[in-house]
Amino acid sequence: MPLPILALASDHGGFEMKALLAADLPLLGWAALDLGTSGPGSVDYPDFALALAQALKEGRAERGLLVCGTGIGISIAANRHAHIRAALVHDAFGARMCREHNDANVLVLGGRTTGPEIARDCLRLFLETPFEGGRHARRVAMLGDLGEK
C-alpha cells in the first residue's frame, strides 16, 4: 500500500525547516512531494503557496506543509484558494485543534519563529489527528461556501 503524500513548499525563510521536516516524513508514514524552494536564495512565498494549492487541487497530495520566515505571509497566500484551509500554528495544541475542529489541510509554520522540536511535534500531530466532524463539519462547509462567493 503506497504511503499518503504530503506536499511541502517554502520560501528561503523556511527552507531549512522544510528540509528538516521532510526527513521525518517516512518515520511518520508519509511520503514527500517537495515543491521547492531548493535553497536559501531569496524567492517569493506566494509562488510556493500557489504550487502547493495546485498540487492539492490536482490530487497529487492529501495534505500540505508550508513554511516561510514567520508563516504569516505564506498562510495568507495559501488561504486565497477556496479549497485550502491553511493553519499557522505555534504549538502542539494548535496543531491538534486545527485538524480536530477545522479540518485544516495545510499546516503552516514559521521557520524563524518555531523551534525544530516544536515543529516536529506540530507536524506529527497534524498528520495523526483526524477531523472530529459533528458540529465542526457545518462550520468547515461554511468556509468552502465563502470561497465560492
Side-chain angles (χ1 to χ4, degrees):
M1 176 189 251
L3 295 176
I5 298 171
L6 180 76
L8 303 97
S10 71
D11 72 356
H12 53 281
F15 168 72
E16 286 184 27
M17 180 174 286
K18 178 182 63 106
L20 173 85
L21 296 174
D24 287 350
L25 285 177
L27 302 171
L28 298 170
W30 287 71
L33 172 62
D34 192 336
L35 301 169
T37 190
S38 57
S42 182
V43 295
D44 298 319
Y45 60 81
D47 292 335
F48 295 93
L50 174 60
L52 187 133
Q54 289 174 332
L56 291 182
K57 189 170 193 173
E58 294 166 1
R60 293 186 286 139
E62 283 77 7
R63 292 191 206 157
L65 169 69
L66 291 170
V67 190
C68 71
T70 62
I72 298 168
I74 208 163
S75 66
I76 292 170
N79 280 313
R80 299 287 176 147
H81 303 271
H83 65 285
I84 298 296
R85 292 176 308 282
L88 172 59
V89 303
H90 302 286
D91 55 35
F93 180 74
R96 184 170 53 86
M97 295 307 290
C98 80
R99 288 288 308 136
E100 279 186 7
H101 288 194
N102 306 111
D103 197 21
N105 57 358
V106 177
L107 175 68
V108 184
L109 298 168
R112 297 177 180 148
T113 60
T114 306
E117 293 311 312
I118 301 271
R120 282 180 159 136
D121 285 345
C122 289
L123 178 61
R124 180 182 55 77
L125 285 164
F126 176 75
L127 295 176
E128 291 177 357
T129 304
F131 178 47
E132 192 173 282
R135 71 184 192 276
H136 306 294
R138 178 177 49 87
R139 296 171 186 145
V140 170
M142 291 171 71
L143 295 173
D145 292 343
L146 291 173
E148 299 299 319
K149 291 181 181 179

